């Protein structure tokens, strides 16, 4: 079965940086896209950034210019470099991957376990 394993969260001061990673494990994976979401307490889960297997990226307006998403197709891994962090970036960050796991199958969504990012003085 496909698993997404996240790492890289933690506590940082405003203006600091963190780098998140998300690695997909499993056999015969065909990943169409990987996406970062975040969810603050009492809030909806919002899209932060995504990247396709072809390298196309997009960002939420709130993080544009501060965050950078990148991927390594050979390693089935996606990264989120977060710079100039603000308190409003505090949330649990989740990795999502749209993955084809069998011949003739449609892509399915898989989720990482989530990692806490806290930005506080």
């Amino acid at each position: 079965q496909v698993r997404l394993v996240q790492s890289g969260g933690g506590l940082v001061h405003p203006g600091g940086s963190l780098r998140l990673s998300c690695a997909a494990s499993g056999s015969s994976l065909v990943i169409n896209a990987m996406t970062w979401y975040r969810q603050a307490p009492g809030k909806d889960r919002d899209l932060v950034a995504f990247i396709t297997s072809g390298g196309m990226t997009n960002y939420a307006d709130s993080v544009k210019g501060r965050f950078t998403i990148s991927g390594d197709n050979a390693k089935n891994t996606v990264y989120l470099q977060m710079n100039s962090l603000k308190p409003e970036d505090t949330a649990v960050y989740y990795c999502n991957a749209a993955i084809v796991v069998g011949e003739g199958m449609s892509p399915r969504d898989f989720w990482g376990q989530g990692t806490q990012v806290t930005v506080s003085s």
Side-chain angles (χ1 to χ4, degrees):
Q1 184 71 293
V2 175
R3 292 197 309 144
L4 302 184
V5 180
Q6 300 179 216
S7 63
L11 174 66
V12 67
H13 295 308
S17 298
L18 287 171
R19 183 177 173 88
L20 307 182
S21 65
C22 175
S25 63
S27 61
S28 302
L29 299 182
V30 179
I31 302 177
N32 291 345
M34 298 186 80
T35 306
W36 288 101
Y37 292 82
R38 66 186 182 187
Q39 187 169 24
K43 306 285 188 177
D44 292 334
R45 186 173 297 186
D46 294 327
L47 187 146
V48 177
F50 72 85
I51 185 168
T52 70
S53 60
M56 181 180 179
T57 61
N58 209 345
Y59 300 89
D61 288 342
S62 59
V63 308
K64 196 171 297 182
R66 300 188 296 119
F67 292 10
T68 302
I69 189 170
S70 61
D72 186 335
N73 288 338
K75 297 181 179 180
N76 291 329
T77 300
V78 66
Y79 307 93
L80 186 68
Q81 178 67 45
M82 304 183 294
N83 298 327
S84 301
L85 282 161
K86 305 174 180 179
E88 50 263 45
D89 295 318
T90 296
V92 177
Y93 284 69
Y94 296 92
C95 177
N96 173 276
I99 302 175
V100 177
V101 296
E103 179 69 28
M105 299 290 291
S106 298
R108 302 286 183 88
D109 283 342
F110 295 87
W111 291 92
Q113 80 277 17
T115 185
Q116 178 71 47
V117 171
T118 302
V119 184
S120 176
S121 60

